[in-house]
Amino acid sequence: MMKVRDAMHKGVEWCESSIPIVDIARLMADMDIGAVPIGENDRLIGMITDRDITCKAVAKGKDIHKLKAKDLVSGKIIYCHEEDSLEQAIDKMENEQIRRIPVLNSDKRLVGILSMGDISHASNHNKTAEFTASVSAHH
């Protein structure tokens, strides 16, 4: 049985909650990523996605030059552990309808991100199709 650690993207870094949203958007553009983990006091407090920036800030007319990561980060932290089975992580992602999930080690330290792309490379075609349909369904 494949473990999350075998499929995840390793070496992910998080940003402090005090970082300006504009800097996070630039980081996303520079690294061609859609989400950034956010931490505070050496602990993961959530994620910010490109959709969060668009829907919670830009679309509402907020001044993005004044916003910090803590202003947009969601309060609900959804994560998995590197020792979880890939199947457990996929189930969690499907239930929460999320396309990427931070991966923590046993000390609750961020060690990676598991994304749709990672799952498509590690799973069989049927499981990937099921996962994609599930997380892409309208809420």
Side-chain angles (χ1 to χ4, degrees), residues 14-35:
W14 50 274
C15 291
E16 290 283 340
S17 63
S18 59
I19 290 189
I21 286 298
V22 172
D23 292 346
I24 291 189
R26 269 192 211 104
L27 177 68
M28 288 178 176
D30 291 346
M31 297 185 71
D32 192 27
I33 57 175

Side-chain angles (χ1 to χ4, degrees), residues 39-138:
E40 201 169 76
N41 299 321
D42 200 33
R43 292 288 181 191
L44 180 71
I45 63 166
M47 298 274 283
I48 291 184
T49 65
D50 46 8
R51 183 170 169 80
D52 291 329
I53 294 169
T54 301
C55 296
K56 293 179 182 177
V58 176
K60 293 186 176 183
K62 294 186 179 181
D63 184 349
I64 60 168
H65 297 285
K66 293 182 179 176
L67 293 175
K68 307 284 186 204
K70 63 184 169 194
D71 298 322
L72 297 184
V73 72
S74 62
K76 186 175 182 182
I77 304 171
I78 301 165
Y79 61 90
C80 65
H81 289 98
E82 64 182 343
E83 293 301 319
D84 292 347
S85 71
L86 187 57
E87 197 67 36
Q88 288 172 305
I90 290 171
D91 288 346
K92 185 179 278 190
M93 293 169 77
E94 286 177 345
N95 289 337
E96 297 292 337
Q97 287 193 300
I98 56 175
R99 296 167 186 247
R100 55 190 78 79
I101 189 167
V103 181
L104 305 182
N105 66 15
S106 59
D107 295 325
K108 292 198 173 184
R109 297 290 186 239
L110 182 67
V111 293
I113 296 276
L114 182 67
S115 70
M116 283 180 75
D118 299 324
I119 291 166
S120 73
H121 293 296
S123 290
N124 66 50
H125 178 73
N126 290 338
K127 187 63 182 171
T128 299
E130 176 189 312
F131 170 73
T132 303
S134 178
V135 299
S136 301
H138 291 291

